[in-house]
């Protein structure tokens, strides 16, 4: 299975995917492209170090959003991935891309959807809101991308307990280490090995009960 990974920041989720492939925790998979809107994203450096083709195109380079959207679609069609993985991608994925890769785009979100998600909920903001609400548990979610924001069918989730004195930064770090970097590679491996299907808007996973989240 060929995957294209879309990034905007440090790329620790991308690194988790690269490492999982190297360690055989993800099988039948190769990363055919890493795309970023941000030329300064360290994720691009990680891809280059791993010998993975990269593409960098910012919406700011275009006269209007439609031209950017068409260019992004073409970049992905040229790479012809079987699966598109959003790993800390801060660009709104245009409907023309969602339609072209229907049910073949997944996203990692740093909360237990439907909590603390949707427009404006990204990065530290997610954790600030969780701590402000006083929840006892947060975590991460991998879901299919549909034309909404963080609204597609849920594939995997992993809970992370809030600890006394947690700051947004401490919570973000723990959720990345204990949840994101585990369930995103696991979801990719499950899809690469044909263990995931969507029936009636719900995700079915073969052998789900024996997964070690
Ligand atoms: C992660 O917290 C992820 O949940 C969110 O953006 C951040 C990306 O981090 N979508 P990185 O670029 O993978 O380090």
């Amino acid at each position: 299975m060929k995957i294209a990974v879309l990034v905007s920041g440090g790329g620790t989720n991308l690194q988790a995917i690269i490492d999982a492939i190297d360690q055989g925790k993800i099988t039948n998979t190769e990363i055919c492209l890493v795309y970023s809107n941000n030329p300064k994203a360290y994720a691009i450096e990680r891809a280059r170090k791993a010998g993975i083709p990269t593409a960098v195109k910012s919406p700011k380079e275009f006269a209007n959003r439609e031209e950017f959207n068409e260019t992004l679609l073409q970049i992905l069609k040229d790479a012809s991935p079987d699966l598109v993985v959003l790993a800390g991608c801060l660009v709104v994925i245009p409907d023309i891309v969602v339609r072209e890769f229907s049910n073949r785009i997944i996203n990692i979100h740093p909360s237990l959807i439907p909590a603390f998600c949707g427009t404006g909920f990204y990065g530290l903001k997610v954790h600030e809101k969780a701590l402000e609400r006083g929840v006892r548990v947060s975590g991460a979610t991998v879901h299919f991308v549909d034309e909404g924001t963080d609204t597609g069918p849920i594939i995997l989730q992993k809970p992370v307990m809030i600890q006394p004195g947690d700051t947004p930064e401490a919570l973000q770090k723990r959720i990345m280490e204990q949840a994101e970097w585990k369930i995103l590679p696991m979801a990719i491996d499950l899809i690469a090995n044909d263990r995931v299907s969507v029936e009636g808007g719900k995700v079915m996973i073969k052998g789900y009960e024996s997964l070690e989240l």
Side-chain angles (χ1 to χ4, degrees):
M1 177 174 80
K2 289 171 42 179
I3 66 173
V5 185
L6 279 54
V7 297
S8 296
T12 62
N13 277 285
L14 167 67
Q15 193 63 56
I17 298 166
I18 293 169
D19 295 347
I21 291 172
D22 289 349
Q23 294 156 12
K25 289 181 186 163
I26 296 178
T27 59
N28 295 333
T29 300
E30 67 156 318
I31 303 174
C32 61
L33 175 74
V34 170
Y35 158 83
S36 184
N37 60 303
N38 172 9
K40 298 191 183 70
Y42 187 65
I44 291 295
E45 190 55 34
R46 294 179 191 271
R48 289 195 180 125
K49 280 189 185 145
I52 299 166
T54 59
V56 179
K57 276 284 176 209
S58 166
K60 297 184 189 114
E61 299 173 46
F62 295 84
N64 58 59
R65 197 63 188 217
E66 287 65 33
E67 280 182 30
F68 166 75
N69 291 347
E70 289 293 342
T71 302
L72 178 60
L73 176 59
Q74 197 54 54
I75 287 171
L76 292 173
K77 286 169 82 169
D78 291 349
S80 64
D82 303 294
L83 182 71
V84 176
V85 179
L86 309 185
C89 180
L90 296 180
V91 163
V92 173
I93 304 303
D95 288 353
I96 54 174
V97 169
V98 175
R99 282 195 294 274
E100 176 73 25
F101 294 93
S102 174
N103 268 335
R104 293 193 292 144
I105 307 175
I106 64 173
N107 181 47
I108 176 82
H109 182 77
S111 75
L112 296 176
I113 288 175
F116 310 113
C117 67
T119 307
F121 282 93
Y122 57 87
L124 271 184
K125 167 86 77 170
V126 174
H127 308 294
E128 286 165 4
K129 291 295 181 188
L131 293 171
E132 197 178 293
R133 182 65 183 81
V135 294
R136 298 295 187 195
V137 184
S138 189
T141 303
V142 181
H143 63 94
F144 282 110
V145 172
D146 62 12
E147 293 176 358
T149 303
D150 300 330
T151 52
I154 290 171
I155 303 168
L156 292 175
Q157 293 190 298
K158 181 159 185 178
V160 173
M161 302 307 289
I162 305 291
Q163 289 176 3
D166 258 342
T167 61
E169 291 78 3
L171 180 57
Q172 178 180 55
K173 185 169 181 294
R174 198 157 67 252
I175 286 176
M176 290 171 94
E177 289 170 349
Q178 294 181 11
E180 298 180 39
W181 301 345
K182 302 255 186 295
I183 62 175
L184 185 55
M186 185 180 283
I188 293 168
D189 183 60
L190 290 168
I191 294 168
N193 290 286
D194 295 326
R195 292 177 56 187
V196 176
S197 59
V198 182
E199 291 155 34
K202 297 285 182 301
V203 174
M204 311 302 285
I205 296 175
K206 288 187 197 121
Y208 177 76
E209 57 288 341
S210 59
L211 288 182
E212 286 174 24
L213 278 177

